[in-house]
Amino acid sequence: AGAAATALDYFRIEVLPDGIALVTIDCPGESVNTLSAGMMADFEKVMAAVEGDASVKAVVLASGKPGTWVAGADIKMLEAAKSAEELTALAHNGQKAMDRIAASKKPFVAAVDGTCMGGGLELALACHYRIAT
């Protein structure tokens, strides 16, 4: 049996024959991965896919960008916010995503290769395990 793969705009999901879902973070057209509104929308689909697939036993989050994992929040998204309330909502939504990983019944592993800053570090810390190079 081969691996099943799903492609989204910001993630690739490959379920390996041993039940490990390799989720590759790869922000399109960017040199680094950042936490953006588009990524968060795709993240909901990732969580639904891995939590809803009984064959998935664990999830590994990796980066498709050489030498960097996740740099943090998308600065352009933050600059575009019009109010403190909008920034607060963005932060709250990001924290809900981190909490969802931390509360998952399936273990998440952050495979950090390279820089990992700000919200990227929060993402790694939300995972149950971290491996860094």
Side-chain angles (χ1 to χ4, degrees):
T6 301
L8 302 165
D9 290 336
Y10 292 82
F11 297 92
R12 287 186 309 277
I13 305 169
E14 183 179 7
V15 180
L16 304 173
D18 60 0
I20 303 301
L22 175 60
V23 177
T24 304
I25 307 165
D26 199 358
C27 294
E30 301 292 338
S31 60
V32 297
N33 294 316
T34 59
L35 303 175
S36 65
M39 178 194 261
M40 297 312 291
D42 261 10
F43 173 77
E44 291 298 322
K45 296 172 189 167
V46 167
M47 292 302 291
V50 298
E51 289 178 337
D53 185 340
S55 73
V56 172
K57 298 176 186 137
V59 180
V60 174
L61 294 179
S63 173
K65 308 292 185 196
T68 182
W69 197 63
V70 178
D74 179 0
I75 299 299
K76 292 177 273 192
M77 174 186 71
L78 297 177
E79 288 174 341
K82 305 281 190 241
S83 66
E85 292 78 16
E86 191 175 343
L87 285 170
T88 299
L90 287 170
H92 179 72
N93 289 339
Q95 191 57 57
K96 280 181 19 183
M98 306 299 170
D99 290 346
R100 189 164 175 191
I101 290 172
S104 177
K105 291 180 175 31
K106 298 182 182 187
F108 274 71
V109 178
V112 179
D113 181 26
T115 57
C116 174
M117 302 175 288
L121 178 58
E122 288 185 55
L123 177 59
L125 292 174
C127 293
H128 303 97
Y129 304 96
R130 288 152 293 285
I131 299 171
T133 59

